């Protein structure tokens, strides 16, 4: 396992109702700017008879105190309680489940509106829009269009709002006169605004809109400086369809409690089932994942069955947890903020390797020690490994 989750769940079952540890863990995922291969550390905790909100209160108390103490002088830190966004709301407003709240721009949905307009490229597509109040030159628009095409967009439509609330832009002629007031009301438009439009399949539209939002925030220097803006993202989907394997799969943590319990698993389509899962996000970086855990054996068996696992698979792969749940388990929940990521944010670094002594590279290689490297036949025998040609 990457983290001691199953172990701390067993502690809850055994009667230890609160657990805390600065836990060493092992990353078995691909490397990226906020994720270093190999060992990392978590501020890990778990509580029995705890709700999602109980975990939120503990997590935000610790993180706010830590960031207020160790952040650079003059920094602003979100005070508890943190804002909470559902996964669906975050994907709509920010185009990502890791929103950077230092950026004041928000994304709105105009899909229904444009289905009633005559602009055919937007028909039968999800349409997202971003309103900006700033002076933008022709050169700015050209650079933003170049960025849009570089990330895979076919173009970037926009409208400029004139002093008389008239519109200027390539899409204006496709909006009927009697609907122009409607878009102004929906988007909260005022003279001097520019509104950008992104249209594609829902998932791609959200992703593109999120990247355009970030680019606008950076290019126009709209993002708040010297601040640490926290939020929770919750209500993640329990399942997603795995296109490669042509089956349902767990979206995140398979040991989370589905909202609605066994009844939801039996009566809803898998894609409609939400989980009691949540993340803490700071400045666009996921600091922690957590969940209200599944503590009921029948629910666990059904949840895994939807993802293609038999009860025998559960016994074989997760035997300790399967056996423990037969004796009854208390409701329990927890989370584990990443210590390395906290230090990365506090030190103002954009790559986690900058705060790890002797980090591995993106290919999980230790360049100082030259590892991994070829091993001798003797070393293979010592570890009882045989290589087959």
């Amino acid at each position: 396992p990457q983290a001691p989750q199953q172990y701390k769940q067993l502690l809850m079952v055994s009667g230890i109702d609160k657990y805390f540890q600065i836990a060493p863990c092992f990353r078995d995922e691909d490397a990226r700017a906020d994720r270093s291969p190999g060992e990392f550390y978590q501020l890990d905790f778990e509580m029995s008879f705890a709700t999602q909100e109980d975990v939120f209160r503990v997590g935000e108390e610790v993180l706010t105190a830590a960031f207020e103490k160790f952040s650079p002088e003059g920094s602003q830190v979100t005070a508890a309680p943190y804002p909470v966004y559902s996964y669906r709301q975050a994907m709509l407003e920010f185009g990502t489940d890791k929103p950077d709240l230092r950026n004041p721009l928000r994304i709105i949905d105009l899909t229904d509106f444009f289905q009633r307009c005559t602009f055919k490229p937007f028909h039968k597509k999800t349409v997202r829009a971003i309103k900006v109040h700033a002076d933008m030159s022709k050169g700015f628009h050209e650079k933003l269009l170049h960025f849009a095409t570089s990330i895979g967009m076919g173009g970037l439509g926009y409208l400029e709002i004139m002093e008389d609330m008239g519109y200027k832009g390539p899409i204006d002629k496709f909006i009927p006169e009697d609907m122009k007031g409607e878009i102004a009301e929906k988007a909260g438009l005022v003279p001097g605004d520019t509104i950008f439009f992104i249209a594609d399949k829902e998932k791609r539209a959200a992703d593109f809109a999120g990247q355009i939002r970030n680019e606008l925030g950076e290019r126009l220097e709209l993002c708040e400086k010297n601040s640490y803006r926290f939020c929770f993202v919750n209500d993640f989907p329990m399942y997603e369809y795995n296109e490669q394997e042509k089956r349902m799969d767990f979206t995140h943590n398979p040991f989370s409690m589905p909202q609605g319990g066994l009844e939801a698993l039996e009566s809803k389509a898998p894609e409609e089932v939400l989980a009691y899962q949540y993340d803490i996000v700071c400045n666009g970086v996921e600091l922690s994942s957590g969940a209200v855990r599944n503590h009921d054996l029948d629910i666990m068996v059904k949840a895994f069955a939807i993802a293609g696992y038999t009860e025998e698979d559960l016994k074989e792969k997760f035997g300790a947890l399967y056996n423990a749940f037969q004796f009854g388990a208390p409701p329990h929940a927890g989370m584990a903020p990443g210590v390395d990521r906290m230090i990365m944010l506090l030190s103002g670094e954009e790559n986690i390797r900058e705060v790890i002594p002797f980090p591995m590279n993106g290919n999980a290689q230790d360049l100082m020690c030259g590892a991994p490297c070829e091993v001798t036949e003797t070393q293979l025998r010592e570890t009882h490994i045989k290589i087959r040609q």
Side-chain angles (χ1 to χ4, degrees):
Q2 291 193 78
Q5 183 190 313
Q6 290 185 57
Y7 299 101
K8 64 181 183 179
Q9 285 193 257
L10 290 170
L11 288 177
M12 300 298 108
V13 178
S14 70
I16 298 175
D17 64 345
K18 289 184 176 66
Y19 149 91
F20 161 73
Q21 182 185 192
I22 298 179
C25 306
F26 192 84
R27 175 81 63 192
D28 68 353
E29 298 169 293
D30 293 336
R32 63 187 188 198
D34 65 348
R35 198 162 69 189
S36 179
E39 194 174 54
F40 69 103
Y41 289 84
Q42 294 184 158
L43 202 60
D44 198 14
F45 69 92
E46 197 83 8
M47 302 181 292
S48 285
F49 301 103
T51 64
Q52 175 178 267
E53 286 66 32
D54 294 329
V55 176
F56 286 2
R57 300 294 84 82
V58 172
E60 61 196 8
E61 178 183 350
V62 171
L63 287 172
T64 293
F67 274 74
E68 286 179 341
K69 182 175 179 62
F70 294 109
S71 62
E73 188 175 351
S75 298
Q76 299 293 315
V77 180
T78 302
Y82 296 166
V84 180
Y85 298 93
S86 70
Y87 170 80
R88 187 175 182 83
Q89 182 184 7
M91 293 303 294
L92 169 59
E93 291 191 27
F94 310 105
T96 176
D97 58 3
K98 302 173 184 59
D100 187 345
L101 299 187
R102 295 173 300 173
N103 185 341
L105 300 179
R106 297 294 184 267
I107 302 165
I108 63 171
D109 185 79
L110 292 176
T111 303
D112 292 340
F113 176 85
F114 274 102
Q115 304 316 300
R116 294 181 281 119
C117 295
T118 58
F119 192 51
K120 291 185 179 179
F122 283 8
H123 287 181
K124 297 182 179 179
K125 290 184 179 178
T126 296
V127 183
R128 298 286 158 85
I130 305 171
K131 179 190 71 171
V132 185
H133 192 84
D135 292 326
M136 286 173 273
S137 65
K138 182 179 178 181
F140 181 93
H141 281 286
E142 289 174 350
K143 290 177 181 177
L144 191 63
L145 176 60
H146 177 73
F147 172 79
T149 55
S150 74
I151 62 175
M153 293 177 59
L156 184 63
Y158 68 92
L159 290 173
E160 294 176 324
I161 317 305
M162 313 310 288
E163 283 298 323
D164 61 356
M165 284 303 291
Y167 301 151
K168 177 184 175 182
I171 296 179
D172 177 39
K173 62 184 178 182
F174 298 101
I175 301 176
E177 286 297 325
D178 61 350
M179 292 180 64
K180 290 185 176 179
E182 182 182 341
I183 190 174
E185 184 179 346
K186 283 180 177 291
L189 300 175
V190 298
D193 282 348
T194 300
I195 184 167
F196 295 93
F197 304 104
I198 302 96
D200 211 308
K201 293 181 179 179
E202 184 175 2
K203 192 172 183 179
R204 284 168 59 86
D207 179 56
F208 287 149
Q211 293 187 65
I212 294 295
R213 172 182 177 267
N214 292 340
E215 190 71 8
L216 284 167
E218 290 178 12
R219 286 181 180 270
L220 296 172
E221 298 183 349
L222 301 174
C223 298
E224 191 178 8
K225 308 293 185 185
N226 304 316
S227 62
Y228 297 92
R229 295 305 176 201
F230 290 87
C231 69
F232 287 103
V233 178
N234 67 353
D235 293 348
F236 283 89
M238 185 83 175
Y239 301 98
E240 62 185 351
Y241 188 70
N242 188 321
E243 292 287 350
Q244 290 183 332
E245 300 182 16
K246 306 298 180 186
R247 64 175 180 84
M248 298 306 302
D249 206 350
F250 291 108
T251 304
H252 288 291
N253 191 320
F255 299 102
S256 305
M257 179 63 79
Q259 296 184 21
L262 189 60
E263 181 182 350
L265 296 179
E266 291 178 337
S267 61
K268 291 184 177 181
E271 299 95 327
E272 296 176 359
V273 178
L274 301 180
Y276 283 113
Q277 295 173 348
Y278 38 81
D279 288 350
I280 289 183
V281 179
C282 178
N283 293 2
V285 175
E286 177 197 315
L287 273 189
S288 176
S289 287
V292 175
R293 316 299 180 187
N294 190 341
H295 63 275
D296 184 287
L297 186 58
D298 291 337
I299 298 176
M300 183 169 143
V301 170
K302 180 62 178 178
F304 274 83
I306 292 173
Y309 296 88
T310 66
E311 190 164 351
E312 289 303 314
D313 292 332
L314 281 177
K315 292 178 184 178
E316 180 182 345
K317 296 177 182 293
F318 313 110
L321 212 55
Y322 179 90
N323 291 331
F325 279 9
Q326 296 187 63
F327 297 96
H332 52 285
M335 69 182 343
V339 176
D340 311 81
R341 290 183 184 177
M342 291 169 63
I343 296 171
M344 179 186 77
L345 286 171
L346 287 166
S347 59
E349 298 291 349
E350 294 186 0
N351 195 305
I352 201 166
R353 293 183 187 85
E354 298 296 331
V355 299
I356 296 176
F358 311 109
M360 295 182 185
N361 68 10
N363 296 320
Q365 295 172 309
D366 184 333
L367 299 181
M368 188 189 76
C369 298
C373 60
E374 291 187 11
V375 296
T376 65
E377 186 65 32
T378 301
Q379 290 172 315
L380 289 172
R381 282 200 298 268
E382 288 173 351
T383 52
H384 305 285
I385 295 175
K386 182 178 181 180
I387 297 178
R388 293 179 177 176
Q389 298 297 333

